[in-house]
Amino acid sequence: MKLKVTSVFRDRDDHVTVYEPETILEVKDKERAKSLIERGLCKEFKGKTAPTHILGREEDGQADEHPDTGAQEKEDSQAPEGDE
C-alpha cells in the first residue's frame, strides 16, 4: 500500500531513518500501514509517484533490500567441498 507521510517520524526497525512530510512510502505490511494512518503519521496515497522507501518484507520470499543502501542481500557463493 502506498502512503504519503503527513508528520515526521523515525523508522521503528532501524531507528535511524527519518521520514519527512510529503515522502511517499510503499508499506508491505497492511497492519503497519493501518497503524501509521491511525496515528496520523501518514495517509493513503493513490498517485503514480514512485515510493522513495519500501517498508516491510516482500511477500513472495524475495531478498529484502538493505535500508541504508537499497542493495539486495547476496549469499556467499562457494563451491561445495569435495565435488572436484
Side-chain angles (χ1 to χ4, degrees), residues 24-65:
I24 306 300
L25 307 174
E26 175 74 29
V27 183
K28 300 294 184 180
D29 179 358
K30 290 182 182 185
E31 289 300 315
R32 186 172 184 187
K34 182 179 172 185
S35 173
L36 290 168
I37 293 168
E38 288 175 349
R39 293 184 290 150
L41 299 174
C42 296
K43 63 182 179 181
E44 191 168 357
F45 181 72
K46 297 285 188 180
K48 296 192 184 280
T49 304
T52 55
H53 298 280
I54 298 176
L55 308 181
R57 295 181 176 264
E58 294 287 341
E59 293 181 26
D60 60 2
Q62 296 293 322
D64 284 347
E65 290 186 357

